[in-house]
Amino acid sequence: MDAVLTTRTQRPIDLVAMAHDASHYLLRPHTIVTPNTVEQVAALLADASASGSAVTFRSGGTSLSGQGVTDQVLVDTRSAFRGIEVLDGGERVRVQPGATVRQVNARLARFGRRLGPDPASEIACTIGGVIANNSSGMACGTEQNTYQTLESMTLVLASGTTIDSASADADEQLRLAEPELWSGLSALRERVVGDAESVESIRRLFAMKNTMGYGLNSFLDHERPIDLLVRLMIGSEGTLGWVGEAVFRTVAVAPLVATGLLVFPTLAAATAALPALVASGLATIELMDATSLRVAQTLSDAPPAITGLTVDGHAALLIEVHAATDAALAAGLARAEGALVGLPLAAEFAFSREPAERAALWHVRKGLYPAVAGARPSGTTALLEDIAVPVAKLLPTCEALETMFARYGYESAVIFGHAKDGNIHFLLTERFDSPEGVARYEAVTEEIVRLVLSQGGTLKAEHGTGRIMAPFVERQYGAELMAVMRELKRLCDPAGVLNPGVIITDDARAHLRNLKITPTVEAEVDRCVECGYCEPTCPSRTLTLTPRQRIVVRRELAAAEARGDHALVEALLVDEPYESVQTCAVDGMCGIACPVDINTGDLVRRLRAEGRAPGRGVWNAASGTWDATTRVASVALTVADALPTALVRGASSAARAVLGTDVVPRYEAGLPRGGTRRSRLLSGSAAVGGSAPVAVYLPACVGTMFGPEGIDADSAGATAALLALCERAGVTLIVPEGIDGLCCGTPWKSKGHTAGYASMRERVRAAVAALGPDVEALPVISDAASCSEGFVGLLAAEGVPHLVLDSVTFAAETLLPRLEIVERQGRVAVHPTCSTEALGATGALVAIARAAADEAVVPEAWGCCAFAGDRGMLHPELTAAATASEVADLERLQREGGALDHAVSANRTCELGMSRATGMPYVHVLELLERATRP
């Protein structure tokens, strides 16, 4: 096996990090392999079939039914398979299994197209899982799901046979390479279509969303063996083969959308309204029960439509009308409003076309599962079931579920889902560390199975059979269709090595084995449900660990300590410092993506504070002499710039070897000379002082340490650019005394130097307070986005009442309307930062770039550069890994649209990181605007 694999690991920290997914099952793989090509996967499967080694594929890790975990070989198909190719002007798209739904849709957006499947986990779920689980979602129903929109695939069978189904001779290739499978598929089709009872069962069950068992509707829809195989692969959860690439037919993005929230006094009233609402042609009807609404009210960005409710036994339906024209939208709204007449609404209702209001409602709904699960008691495990029943049976089903949950004592159980399709989810929390908890789960599962089947429903609508429902497949389909599935599995996987125990099992208690126990760990991250939404945004995701993995390592440490597994504890503690603590950029992007607002950086900062950090005393002392410290850093960079790079790098490497790579930065060619002291820049500016300042200005100290890149010889950095722009706009600012000694505190906070951070907080508070009460109504601005974000936290902690704005927001709102663009600056690449995202300033950054340039492009693959102050100099490999996708995307943009004249961002250290990564000089966007507005 070693000969065919690029990467193979059995390191304990890798195994425990990859063992966890979003399901409530936990198996630790004995080996993780990471192939780079389809050919390597084919060789791996051929070897596995010959040796009898079980193989499970893993991509996004968002599956909920246990189909992505194993104690055997786990194959990572996300890392190296992320290709996206738009075809036919967006009408089709070729994708690899590691690309997320959001990434694919971002590439399609400029064509007005998107994928048909629209799962709530689109931020993190990947195409591999979308195909393996036959994903659908909130709006696509059964008409635009994976089964209906996938056109072709490159599939790899257990034998290693690889076929592109788009090839004209694909069926003949299958016949020659796999004659038994080819003829067996035809025989199975004849068996199915020749049995009237089987045909009736399949049509009834697949009229609904249904991911229980294999997609037997394929036998009614297709005839050629290759076509049968392609459709059967969809929803097969890695048990029949692997899909290395797929082509989807895309669907149009509705340009006109109206959204609203219907609030009913009871769940019964909400479900009773469904027939009329469905008949009105609504694109989406999403159900949220009372507990869902209460939990949603706790989210930081919950909209007023939800926070304003006084929830008792209420339920809500999130409804939406889609249209291509104004006339069609008006007609759709008229039909919908007609259906609302006479409904017993418990709150006023209105449709909204306002993007911010609509986005807020959908953000709550899409993050509802992890949000609800995140509110569970510590030490419990969240488990999410999904079912579908005919819409007419939804009300009695929901009523029976509520009664059942109350009887079993599941007081926090919630019900939500895609009501239009009769597809609901219900979330339970259970303690699997006690026999009583497991027994209760076993009993309620049996009752749920009986209830759903009695209503003519399916036990799995969207999330796949996995391990959770594998023992019940025959009860849903009957003995004959179960026999068909077993024969299908035998034909495709004769050795039984592909994801054994998933979909097909002989173990009636398989759903009760390997249940995940969730030990209590640090308060900052204890509510994590391991959904994985954070992973695509994490800058260290391809180098070391993701936020989810950092958390599960803490959980695995706690569990190992509790059971006395000293060998595992020791192994994890050896690798955790670098893998988890040193290579975390503490950028906060995970907190933005996390629906329960977990910023794993908060945990990492505390771990750094609790650890032994060489130089902590020096750092803490520097908070009192920051003016001198920044000037020393500036002089050092200027001197280093004048010396041979090899000499300076050698000196820094020697110091790193002695003091540690997490203490001494690595010097690299391309670092700028030192910058200019802030007071010197301010002293000659007409923008500082005056009788009517519009903002308190705290220029960033990073400009003193790192000199400007410069668009031209006249460029002097962000501070000088902002001052020049203010002068041209006739705007004045006020600056506190002693500005050279002030800082946002981020260098101390990010490193866990709490004493130094507290000292700087007090210095800034006092300096701002000394300006007097007359300026309390003015915003505070800074000219580096990370510093602006730092000032938000610092001033809030000190009780200072000022609103904090980044300079790009200030410039877009206050300066740009007063400025004249004299010379546009060509084609410009824009790099948003983690801080512009956190501050809500990315829109302003892009708006300034578009105002100053002929064209401003934002790479779809942009992300945090992980330079993170000095983190990119301490660990250059982190920035290299974090920027790799964006670098590739920039190269694509230049191939497709021509050369880039400039590159801009909103933070000096991010500009350094991106300049190093791309070879293009990145400058602050205000420098671009300053040049564009020069008289």
Side-chain angles (χ1 to χ4, degrees), residues 688-712:
V688 178
S691 59
V694 299
V696 176
Y697 183 29
L698 299 175
C701 60
V702 68
T704 299
M705 291 183 281
F706 297 105
E709 195 80 39
I711 294 176
D712 55 32

Side-chain angles (χ1 to χ4, degrees), residues 196-263:
E197 185 176 346
S198 292
V199 171
E200 190 280 328
S201 292
I202 291 171
R203 285 180 173 156
R204 174 178 60 82
L205 288 168
F206 286 92
M208 302 174 282
K209 288 183 178 180
N210 178 24
T211 59
M212 187 72 170
Y214 292 118
L216 299 183
N217 53 325
S218 306
F219 290 117
L220 306 186
D221 298 339
H222 298 277
E223 295 185 9
R224 289 196 313 163
I226 187 63
D227 298 328
L228 290 170
L229 182 57
V230 166
R231 296 299 143 186
L232 288 163
M233 288 284 288
I234 298 170
S236 64
E237 303 175 35
T239 64
L240 303 181
W242 178 70
V243 179
E245 187 176 83
V247 174
F248 283 82
R249 294 182 297 275
T250 64
V251 301
V253 174
L256 303 175
V257 181
T259 308
L261 189 71
L262 297 169
V263 182

Side-chain angles (χ1 to χ4, degrees), residues 253-259 283 320-330 333 352-353 358:
V253 174
L256 303 175
V257 181
T259 308
E320 202 160 70
V321 176
H322 295 178
T325 65
D326 288 330
L329 181 64
L333 289 173
S352 174
R353 295 180 63 183
R358 293 185 50 254

Side-chain angles (χ1 to χ4, degrees), residues 394-619:
L394 193 57
L395 175 56
T397 302
C398 289
E399 290 176 332
L401 286 171
E402 286 188 316
T403 301
M404 184 191 310
F405 296 153
R407 188 171 69 253
Y408 279 99
Y410 288 112
E411 297 176 357
S412 61
V414 296
I415 298 174
F416 59 94
H418 319 309
K420 180 170 68 81
D421 304 306
N423 170 205
I424 56 172
H425 309 302
F426 42 93
L427 177 67
L428 311 176
T429 57
E430 187 57 88
R431 300 200 71 97
F432 289 137
D433 55 358
S434 72
E436 295 79 12
V438 175
R440 181 169 71 156
Y441 171 59
E442 179 181 12
V444 77
T445 298
E446 176 58 31
E447 280 207 39
I448 290 168
V449 169
R450 289 202 302 266
L451 169 65
V452 174
L453 296 183
S454 72
Q455 299 296 324
T458 176
L459 296 170
K460 278 295 166 190
E462 294 185 311
H463 299 163
T465 310
R467 299 173 183 277
I468 192 171
M469 282 295 153
F472 305 102
V473 173
E474 185 166 347
R475 285 175 63 176
Q476 176 167 312
Y477 282 95
E480 168 59 15
L481 289 178
M482 186 73 225
V484 169
M485 292 190 205
R486 289 184 180 277
E487 176 62 8
L488 173 63
K489 170 70 170 173
R490 186 195 68 79
L491 288 168
C492 291
D493 180 23
V497 298
L498 298 180
N499 216 5
V502 170
I503 298 183
I504 303 291
T505 184
D506 294 320
D507 183 356
R509 296 178 61 80
H511 61 303
L512 304 175
R513 306 194 193 284
N514 306 302
L515 296 170
K516 183 188 292 181
I517 296 172
T518 308
T520 297
V521 288
E522 290 83 2
E524 297 95 331
V525 298
D526 198 45
R527 63 190 182 278
C528 173
V529 293
E530 302 176 11
C531 66
Y533 287 18
C534 57
E535 292 194 331
T537 69
C538 178
S540 63
R541 65 189 179 276
T542 63
L543 177 67
T544 51
L545 300 180
T546 67
R548 170 168 61 178
Q549 292 171 338
R550 289 181 169 92
I551 293 169
V552 301
V553 166
R554 301 301 294 174
R555 287 176 170 169
E556 289 276 1
L557 269 169
E561 288 170 350
R563 66 176 179 265
D565 189 345
H566 303 299
L568 179 58
V569 170
E570 182 178 350
L572 294 179
L573 290 178
V574 166
D575 291 317
E576 188 189 30
Y578 176 76
E579 299 286 323
S580 187
V581 179
Q582 295 177 17
T583 52
C584 175
V586 295
D587 59 303
M589 292 289 280
C590 54
I592 296 172
C594 177
V596 292
D597 300 325
I598 295 174
N599 182 349
T600 311
D602 293 339
L603 170 64
V604 171
R605 277 189 286 264
R606 184 162 65 77
L607 294 176
R608 288 174 181 170
E610 294 173 353
R612 296 180 60 188
R616 175 164 292 157
V618 174
W619 268 101

